[in-house]
Structures are given as structure tokens and as C-alpha cells.
Amino acid sequence: MLLLVRAVEMADREGALLTAEDRSQAHAAGSAAMGSGKRAGERYLAARSHFAAARLETRQPPVTRVLRATRWPGWIAWLVPLVAFMLGVAANELGNSRRLDLLAVPLLGTFVWNIAVYLWVLATAFRRSAPGTGLPGLIAQIGTPGTGTATPLSRALGSFLGDWHQAAAPLNAARAARTMHLAAATFAIGLIAGIYLRALAVEYRAGWESTLLSPGQVHGLLSLLLGPASAISGIAIPDVQGIAALRVTGTVDAGGDAKPWLHLFAVTAGWLVVLPRLVLSGLAAAKAAARARNFPIPGREDFYVRKLLREAQGASGHVRVTPYACTPGEAIRARLSSLLHGAMGEGSAVRFDEPVAYGAEDEWHSRAALDPKQDLHIVLFSLSSTPEDENHGQFVRALDKALLRENSGTMPAVIVDESAYRERFGAQAGYAERVEARRAAWRKVIGAVGLTAFVIDLGEDRPDDLQRIETLTAGDARLAGERA
């Protein structure tokens, strides 16, 4: 539920899906369940999310459908193995109904296929997929509608599905492995059971036929696959001459007594297929249970979660502002601090770094210490500067990578102050077109980093400034839209 509510609140900036009253009531529900102790934050998040999700489901039917689609269908766990067992029983009807073909695909093919699966399991046990690759990564990429024309609900549900499939992929993979290993075991059981059941009413004759294989090669193949079963059961495998005598030349009665071969195949199926598959199914079931208990949900490293926990605990926010290639005056600093206090609470701490000189970005990054307690790290630019990817863009890119590497939950953000540009060129003709072109240039450079450039005039008091700063501090700056 937390992933759903997180996606909705980050896409629903205007409160159309969850109103301010809804969020206040959700906060109250979370606070009531919070209590004290180490898991107080988890209880708060769970109760708040369940309340908000329930409110969404009562108003938005698509939410219910999407939530239903994310639930693992429990019937798969018993239906797939049952169908596999039935297919195994019926597989013996695909060949000669009175001959136990020693080279039949349903028998030897089953053994060879399972050996190949075991080799694949061993190979993949030492290989890890990169994050965002494979099916979950693909779903995450195609599941989120574009922000241009999508509604807040479609954006939220698309983002939720991408986050959910990414988070649930390991759990669902373990569940699927559990079911498929169990199905492989029941198929083998059904295959042998079908032969035994038919042997009660039909006299099987064991034999083989092949255009390419000689009796010696068939003897080697059968000895390799059935040798362990022979050692376990004490049933001897005929020599090459004995195998040659079992070669079918076209008559139905050709071959030999099928009973010892039937037992050899049954024992082989037991030790080579049934037992290993049941063990693998049990291991996958244990892995699925462990992953269900420890489902990966955003923690304090996530900006959204940290914001909620800060509100629940009545804690103050921490903001760091790093000016680059500009020196904001006292009035600009006071204006930005006032907006940040209004958005994050009067008790929030706002710290301004010494300005970073143009071209000194590498030196700053080499000595700058990132504080994990900071909620927001703002890079402050001036619209008067011409944006350059190799300097301005690289400075933001390096900061973003450093924060991601630290996994601290500190959110990077970019504010471009246009007050100095307005003071210099505001009275000239064509200013509106020039300032819009400059804004577009900044959006392009910062957008290439994957962040949003919030262009704001910190030298003037505009009615919507606080709302825009609240948007900046409400969630992931990578998802926030520019509304200049």
C-alpha cells in the first residue's frame, strides 16, 4: 500500500485524488497506530498507507483493479502441478500403447530436460541481473505513461506498477520457481504412474528402435541414465547383446519383458526428478516466504518516506543550498530561506554553502562532505549565466550520483534565480522572449541530468512561489514539473 500511496501523492500535486483532508486523516490514523519503539515508524507508515489506499479505492475503481492485478494468484500453486500430473499420466498415450520404448521422448526426454534445468540453476546461482534489467525493468519502463497528457491517476498507477513489479520481481520469481519445480515433480510422478496403471491391463514389451544409434550406443546411453537406479534397485542392465536383442524390427510383440525396465525408469524418475525437484520447490518456497516477510519497501533513504516520518515525529527538516557561479545577496538568501521554511516548517534548518566558482566543480566535489541528515540539497544557479552541460550540468550530475551512491535519502534539486537577469534586462524590449529562451536553455541542460530546473525570481514576492517550492520539497525532483 505504501508504494501505491507514494505514487499517488507524488503525482497528485493538486490534491485531486487525495485531498488535504484525506491526507490529514491518514496522518491521524498513522499517528494513532504509531506507538513507540523501533518499529514505530513502520507502524505509522503502514496505518497511514492503508487508510489512504482505502480512501482511494472507494473513489477510484481503477485503483481496485490495479491492486487486484498485483496479487499473486494462489490457485496457480495447486492448479499447475495438478495439470502437470495429468499431462504426465496422459503422456504414455502418445506412443505405442503396448510398448515401453526405451528411447521414448516422454521418458528419456524428461530426464535430459531436468538435467539441463539443474545445470541452468547452477549457472544462474552465480549470476546476478543488473537492476532495472529483464522483465521487471522493461515493465518499469513501459508501465509509466508520459506526463504530457496523462491524468494524475494514470501517472500514479503507471508509476506504482513500475515500482511494484520492480520490488515484487524477486518474490514472484521465487513463487514461480516453487510452482514450476513442483509441477516438474508431479509430471514425472504422473508419467510413471500412467505407465504402471496401464501395465495392470496391458502387457508391455520393452524395446527400442533407431535409425542412427547402434546397440552399443544405446547401451551406453541407458547405462548412463539408468545406472544409478540399477545400483539402487539391484536390477541389472543387459549387456550390448541383450540390448541388441531388444531392438524392434516392426512386430508388436518384439522386445523383451518390460517389468525390470519399468522399475528402472521409476527409480530413476524418483532420484533424478522427483526428489531434486521437491527439494528445489521447498527451497523456493522458503525463499518466497522470506522475501514476503522482508518485502522491499522504501525506507528512510527515500525522500518521500523521510518526509512522512519527519512529519509524524514532529522533526525539523534540513536543507543545504550550494550556489554555483553566483553569489546570492542577503535579500535573496532571506527570500529563499523564508520559502523553504514555509514549505518544510519554520523549524527547518537552511544552510548556505560558500559559492562555488565557475570551473571549480571538480575541486568542490573532491572536498565536499555530504550529510545524510539533510533532506534536500539545492544547487542554486543564476539565470544570468549561460547554462553549459560541461560545467553547470556536470556539477549537478556529479552531486546526483554522489547522493545516490551514499543512499542517504537526500534529494537533489535545482533552482535557477532570475532576479539578477530581470534587473539587468527587464526594462529592455523583447525581454519576455529573451527570458523564456533562457529558461528553456536551463531546462534543457538540467533536464539532461534527469532533474527539473525550477526557475523562480527570488527578488520578487509572487503569490504562487510558496506553492512551487512546496512542489519542489514534496517529492522526487526527478518527477516534478516546471510551471514557470
Side-chain angles (χ1 to χ4, degrees):
M1 295 300 181
L2 175 61
L3 292 176
L4 170 66
V5 177
R6 176 181 181 272
V8 168
E9 290 195 284
M10 294 181 71
D12 182 30
R13 305 292 183 183
E14 286 74 28
L17 303 176
L18 283 174
T19 65
E21 182 180 359
D22 293 331
R23 302 182 194 206
S24 176
Q25 293 177 357
H27 170 73
S31 298
M34 188 173 180
S36 59
K38 293 182 178 180
R39 302 180 67 89
E42 295 180 18
R43 290 192 294 270
Y44 169 81
L45 293 172
R48 183 187 185 280
S49 300
H50 276 88
F51 182 94
R55 188 62 57 88
L56 285 168
E57 287 193 81
T58 60
R59 299 172 182 168
Q60 305 291 341
V63 172
T64 302
R65 292 195 294 270
V66 167
L67 286 176
R68 189 180 298 118
T70 61
R71 299 187 183 105
W72 180 263
W75 51 266
I76 287 181
W78 59 265
L79 181 60
V80 173
L82 177 60
V83 171
F85 174 80
M86 296 172 63
L87 290 175
V89 172
N92 124 81
E93 298 293 339
L94 300 178
N96 191 313
S97 61
R98 299 193 61 183
R99 181 191 305 161
L100 181 63
D101 192 341
L102 301 182
L103 300 181
V105 171
L107 288 170
L108 295 189
T110 297
F111 299 154
V112 173
W113 166 253
N114 279 272
I115 292 173
V117 169
Y118 302 151
L119 293 175
W120 180 81
V121 169
L122 288 174
T124 56
F126 301 100
R127 178 176 58 85
R128 293 180 179 269
S129 298
T133 60
L135 180 59
L138 178 62
I139 293 174
Q141 293 176 32
I142 67 175
T144 306
T147 58
T149 60
T151 65
L153 180 60
S154 66
R155 289 199 304 271
L157 294 182
S159 177
F160 164 64
L161 284 175
D163 293 341
W164 172 263
H165 284 292
Q166 192 74 22
L171 172 59
N172 289 338
R175 287 169 169 170
R178 174 195 63 193
T179 301
M180 297 311 296
H181 286 311
L182 183 58
T186 58
F187 177 84
I189 294 172
L191 185 63
I192 297 302
I195 296 175
Y196 270 112
L197 287 173
R198 193 165 185 82
L200 294 175
V202 174
E203 182 184 0
Y204 275 114
R205 302 294 294 174
W208 63 276
E209 55 183 334
S210 174
T211 301
L212 301 177
L213 299 180
S214 66
Q217 291 172 322
V218 173
H219 178 268
L221 176 62
L222 293 177
S223 297
L224 178 64
L225 286 176
L226 304 181
S230 176
I232 294 172
S233 65
I235 301 174
I237 296 175
D239 56 17
V240 175
Q241 290 75 19
I243 294 294
L246 296 176
R247 189 165 194 167
V248 176
T249 58
T251 60
V252 175
D253 294 330
D257 184 12
K259 185 183 298 183
W261 293 101
L262 195 155
H263 296 328
L264 287 173
F265 278 115
V267 174
T268 301
W271 78 264
L272 183 60
V273 181
V274 178
L275 287 180
R277 289 291 195 153
L278 290 178
V279 170
L280 290 173
S281 180
L283 292 176
K287 185 181 294 185
R291 287 175 174 173
R293 289 193 302 269
N294 301 283
F295 191 84
I297 58 174
R300 288 184 177 273
E301 76 285 350
D302 183 83
F303 182 83
Y304 169 83
V305 171
R306 177 181 288 197
K307 178 176 180 290
L308 290 182
L309 293 178
R310 187 176 66 243
E311 293 175 353
Q313 297 164 356
S316 300
H318 295 265
V319 184
R320 180 176 180 178
V321 181
T322 303
Y324 177 87
C326 66
T327 304
E330 287 300 322
I332 299 300
R333 291 174 180 240
R335 174 63 177 157
L336 181 55
S337 296
S338 175
L339 291 172
L340 290 170
H341 286 143
M344 300 187 69
E346 289 298 329
S348 298
V350 180
R351 164 191 164 187
F352 282 85
D353 290 340
E354 289 297 318
V356 180
Y358 177 83
E361 55 273 4
D362 292 338
E363 178 186 353
W364 185 87
H365 282 296
S366 66
R367 59 180 173 78
L370 301 179
D371 187 350
K373 294 181 180 180
Q374 290 164 349
D375 298 290
L376 197 64
H377 193 143
I378 298 174
V379 179
L380 179 63
F381 294 113
S382 172
L383 195 72
S384 297
S385 301
T386 300
E388 299 174 350
D389 182 71
E390 59 270 22
N391 294 103
H392 304 86
Q394 182 57 31
F395 183 80
V396 177
R397 187 178 292 108
L399 175 62
D400 188 28
K401 289 181 178 179
L403 293 175
L404 289 174
R405 186 170 56 250
E406 293 292 330
N407 196 30
S408 63
T410 303
M411 179 61 58
V414 173
I415 291 180
V416 182
D417 175 29
E418 62 180 43
S419 60
Y421 191 81
R422 173 183 51 79
E423 291 174 0
R424 182 177 180 182
F425 300 105
Q428 297 182 8
Y431 171 75
E433 291 77 11
R434 293 174 64 183
V435 74
E436 185 54 43
R438 185 61 65 95
R439 290 171 180 167
W442 274 101
R443 294 190 194 109
K444 181 178 180 180
V445 170
I446 303 303
V449 181
L451 300 177
T452 298
F454 281 80
V455 183
I456 187 171
D457 191 335
L458 294 174
E460 291 187 343
D461 186 2
R462 298 180 180 177
D464 64 338
D465 284 349
L466 179 58
Q467 181 181 356
R468 296 185 63 223
I469 293 295
E470 285 177 340
T471 300
L472 174 67
T473 61
D476 197 334
R478 296 178 183 85
L479 302 178
E482 173 62 45
R483 295 180 299 196

